[in-house]
mmCIF file of all heavy atoms in Angstrom:
data_model
loop_
_atom_site.group_PDB
_atom_site.id
_atom_site.type_symbol
_atom_site.label_atom_id
_atom_site.label_comp_id
_atom_site.label_asym_id
_atom_site.label_seq_id
_atom_site.Cartn_x
_atom_site.Cartn_y
_atom_site.Cartn_z
ATOM 1 N N GLU A 176 53.525 -0.170 23.271
ATOM 2 C CA GLU A 176 54.253 0.999 22.802
ATOM 3 C C GLU A 176 54.436 2.008 23.943
ATOM 4 O O GLU A 176 55.515 2.584 24.124
ATOM 5 C CB GLU A 176 53.488 1.623 21.635
ATOM 6 C CG GLU A 176 54.364 2.421 20.714
ATOM 7 C CD GLU A 176 53.616 2.854 19.466
ATOM 8 O OE1 GLU A 176 52.376 2.672 19.419
ATOM 9 O OE2 GLU A 176 54.258 3.363 18.552
ATOM 10 N N ASP A 182 59.434 3.206 29.812
ATOM 11 C CA ASP A 182 60.686 2.575 30.235
ATOM 12 C C ASP A 182 61.882 3.356 29.715
ATOM 13 O O ASP A 182 62.867 3.577 30.449
ATOM 14 C CB ASP A 182 60.758 1.122 29.751
ATOM 15 C CG ASP A 182 59.809 0.240 30.544
ATOM 16 O OD1 ASP A 182 59.281 0.749 31.567
ATOM 17 O OD2 ASP A 182 59.583 -0.918 30.144
ATOM 18 N N GLU A 184 62.024 6.480 28.952
ATOM 19 C CA GLU A 184 62.087 7.773 29.641
ATOM 20 C C GLU A 184 62.655 7.590 31.055
ATOM 21 O O GLU A 184 63.470 8.378 31.524
ATOM 22 C CB GLU A 184 60.677 8.383 29.685
ATOM 23 C CG GLU A 184 60.602 9.805 30.218
ATOM 24 C CD GLU A 184 61.168 10.848 29.259
ATOM 25 O OE1 GLU A 184 61.389 10.501 28.077
ATOM 26 O OE2 GLU A 184 61.405 11.988 29.691
ATOM 27 N N ALA A 205 56.012 13.554 32.243
ATOM 28 C CA ALA A 205 56.382 14.019 30.905
ATOM 29 C C ALA A 205 55.457 13.433 29.844
ATOM 30 O O ALA A 205 55.164 14.061 28.830
ATOM 31 C CB ALA A 205 57.833 13.628 30.602
ATOM 32 N N TRP B 97 59.216 7.202 21.284
ATOM 33 C CA TRP B 97 59.978 7.920 22.307
ATOM 34 C C TRP B 97 61.048 8.765 21.640
ATOM 35 O O TRP B 97 61.251 9.933 21.989
ATOM 36 C CB TRP B 97 60.606 6.929 23.285
ATOM 37 C CG TRP B 97 61.410 7.593 24.380
ATOM 38 C CD1 TRP B 97 60.898 8.239 25.458
ATOM 39 C CD2 TRP B 97 62.834 7.676 24.476
ATOM 40 N NE1 TRP B 97 61.890 8.741 26.239
ATOM 41 C CE2 TRP B 97 63.114 8.410 25.660
ATOM 42 C CE3 TRP B 97 63.907 7.217 23.686
ATOM 43 C CZ2 TRP B 97 64.417 8.684 26.065
ATOM 44 C CZ3 TRP B 97 65.192 7.495 24.121
ATOM 45 C CH2 TRP B 97 65.438 8.228 25.294
ATOM 46 N N GLN B 115 54.644 14.180 26.180
ATOM 47 C CA GLN B 115 55.274 13.326 25.164
ATOM 48 C C GLN B 115 54.275 12.359 24.558
ATOM 49 O O GLN B 115 54.366 11.997 23.394
ATOM 50 C CB GLN B 115 56.399 12.526 25.815
ATOM 51 C CG GLN B 115 57.535 13.379 26.320
ATOM 52 C CD GLN B 115 58.526 12.531 27.097
ATOM 53 O OE1 GLN B 115 58.333 11.330 27.250
ATOM 54 N NE2 GLN B 115 59.587 13.156 27.580
ATOM 55 N N TYR B 119 51.562 9.950 20.083
ATOM 56 C CA TYR B 119 50.957 8.692 19.603
ATOM 57 C C TYR B 119 49.660 8.905 18.836
ATOM 58 O O TYR B 119 49.518 8.379 17.723
ATOM 59 C CB TYR B 119 50.828 7.695 20.763
ATOM 60 C CG TYR B 119 52.192 7.237 21.211
ATOM 61 C CD1 TYR B 119 52.790 7.759 22.349
ATOM 62 C CD2 TYR B 119 52.907 6.326 20.436
ATOM 63 C CE1 TYR B 119 54.054 7.379 22.733
ATOM 64 C CE2 TYR B 119 54.180 5.936 20.810
ATOM 65 C CZ TYR B 119 54.754 6.465 21.962
ATOM 66 O OH TYR B 119 56.002 6.090 22.321
ATOM 67 N N ARG B 142 64.824 -4.168 22.906
ATOM 68 C CA ARG B 142 63.396 -4.399 23.206
ATOM 69 C C ARG B 142 62.580 -4.210 21.943
ATOM 70 O O ARG B 142 62.976 -3.535 21.010
ATOM 71 C CB ARG B 142 62.951 -3.411 24.288
ATOM 72 C CG ARG B 142 63.438 -3.879 25.654
ATOM 73 C CD ARG B 142 62.763 -3.187 26.776
ATOM 74 N NE ARG B 142 61.319 -3.090 26.648
ATOM 75 C CZ ARG B 142 60.581 -2.373 27.485
ATOM 76 N NH1 ARG B 142 61.162 -1.701 28.455
ATOM 77 N NH2 ARG B 142 59.288 -2.326 27.335
ATOM 78 N N TYR B 147 58.619 4.214 13.195
ATOM 79 C CA TYR B 147 57.835 4.957 12.206
ATOM 80 C C TYR B 147 58.773 5.563 11.192
ATOM 81 O O TYR B 147 59.845 6.033 11.539
ATOM 82 C CB TYR B 147 57.056 6.090 12.883
ATOM 83 C CG TYR B 147 56.024 5.604 13.864
ATOM 84 C CD1 TYR B 147 56.369 5.378 15.199
ATOM 85 C CD2 TYR B 147 54.716 5.362 13.458
ATOM 86 C CE1 TYR B 147 55.426 4.929 16.103
ATOM 87 C CE2 TYR B 147 53.767 4.907 14.365
ATOM 88 C CZ TYR B 147 54.130 4.700 15.689
ATOM 89 O OH TYR B 147 53.195 4.254 16.567
#
Side-chain angles (χ1 to χ4, degrees):
Chain A
E176 205 172 9
D182 287 350
E184 187 72 13
Chain B
W97 180 75
Q115 295 173 359
Y119 292 101
R142 282 195 46 188
Y147 296 88

